[in-house]
Amino acid sequence: AGSQIQGRAGIPRQGRRRKSVAIAYEAGQDEGAEPRRARWEPRQWREQLQRIREMRSSRDAPVDDMGVQKCYDSSAPPQVKRYQVLLALMLSSQTKDQVTSAAMLRLRQRGLTVDSVLQMDDETLGQIIYPVGFWRNKVKYIKQTTAILKQKYGGDIPSTVEELVQLPGVGPKMAHLAMHIAWDSVAGIAVDTHVHRISNRLQWVKKETKHPEQTRVALEEWLPRDLWKEINWLLVGFGQQTCLPVKPRCSQCLNQDICPAAKRL
């Protein structure tokens, strides 16, 4: 009952008092209010990022020549291009760029569209995409997803992350990359194993993260939005060439003197 009683005249209720303080120091109008805390960001991250840009300036990592952005037919109609982007992303999971690129080339040689895949039997599709990782599961997911695209989206792919991750075989990283590449829209940061690993090594996350999705959330809390699209491309290539999963090439890294992990590796 006490919670329903109005405060006495001149004495605001506790809930109101909290609200007014929050508004005051959001707007910076209350001189007595505690100053707003600065947003957390990693030490020396701008310098680290610039050095990674320098190391990636030659654009000669596998992702540069054979990444998903190079796997679709640029002369195809927009709807077909978007479908090919999504398919390349589905094939790329747990698969080297070289293998994904070769599988996409074989698919495109047969005419890669929603209808051509729906008309293809599972055995033939499996033979074409082999040896991508988990190819049997991917045959199933590709056929299921393609049928959904035909029935629900008129043969196109969804234009939101929320809808993309509902498709069989499509995870958050694929969805964000599909938004970047297929729709030229930045809805979030695409975090794969390279971005996840390097973000933790550089301590670009406030606390160590265990999974790529945790890393994505942590990065999006502080990384300026205009860098969200670039960061995947930069770190993937950097992870393929220098900051390797095992035996990273710290001696060749321009960040060796300012990388928290360099001395431990």
Side-chain angles (χ1 to χ4, degrees), residues 71-165:
C71 287
Y72 64 88
D73 180 2
S74 59
S75 65
Q79 186 169 307
V80 174
K81 284 192 286 190
R82 289 191 286 267
Y83 174 65
Q84 291 183 0
V85 167
L86 183 62
L87 225 61
L89 287 165
M90 295 176 73
L91 293 175
S92 71
S93 176
Q94 303 292 310
T95 305
K96 291 184 180 297
D97 287 331
Q98 298 92 322
V99 177
T100 300
S101 177
M104 282 296 295
L105 181 59
R106 292 191 296 272
L107 282 168
R108 285 169 50 194
Q109 287 171 343
R110 298 176 67 103
L112 181 52
T113 65
V114 164
D115 289 333
S116 71
V117 170
L118 289 176
Q119 292 164 9
M120 198 179 297
D121 62 71
D122 290 5
E123 184 179 355
T124 300
L125 180 56
Q127 289 172 348
I128 295 172
I129 69 171
Y130 179 85
V132 300
F134 304 100
W135 63 272
R136 289 186 179 87
N137 285 337
K138 289 177 183 178
V139 166
K140 179 178 66 175
Y141 293 145
I142 287 170
K143 294 300 282 289
Q144 290 174 345
T145 285
T146 303
I148 292 170
L149 298 180
K150 176 77 170 178
Q151 295 163 7
K152 189 174 179 180
Y153 298 97
D156 209 337
I157 72 170
S159 58
T160 67
V161 169
E162 292 74 18
E163 291 174 293
L164 283 163
V165 295

Side-chain angles (χ1 to χ4, degrees), residues 15-82:
R16 287 179 181 169
R17 183 164 65 251
R18 281 202 303 267
K19 184 176 181 182
S20 64
V21 169
I23 291 171
Y25 82 82
E26 278 172 15
Q29 294 171 347
D30 187 343
E31 293 181 1
E34 182 181 335
R36 187 194 298 183
R37 291 181 182 179
R39 182 180 62 176
W40 179 87
E41 60 180 45
R43 292 181 64 250
Q44 298 181 297
W45 74 268
R46 292 185 185 276
E47 188 174 359
Q48 291 166 339
L49 178 64
Q50 188 54 40
R51 292 183 184 184
I52 292 172
R53 285 192 180 117
E54 290 177 35
M55 288 183 278
R56 293 282 288 115
S57 61
S58 59
R59 295 175 177 259
D60 55 1
V63 69
D64 299 308
D65 295 325
M66 292 168 282
V68 168
Q69 78 284 357
K70 298 285 189 178
C71 287
Y72 64 88
D73 180 2
S74 59
S75 65
Q79 186 169 307
V80 174
K81 284 192 286 190
R82 289 191 286 267

Side-chain angles (χ1 to χ4, degrees), residues 6 32 71 121 132-133 146 150 184 195 208 225 237 244 257 260 262:
Q6 296 291 329
C71 287
D121 62 71
V132 300
T146 303
K150 176 77 170 178
D184 194 26
V195 179
E208 183 182 0
R225 196 178 182 95
L244 306 176
D257 61 327

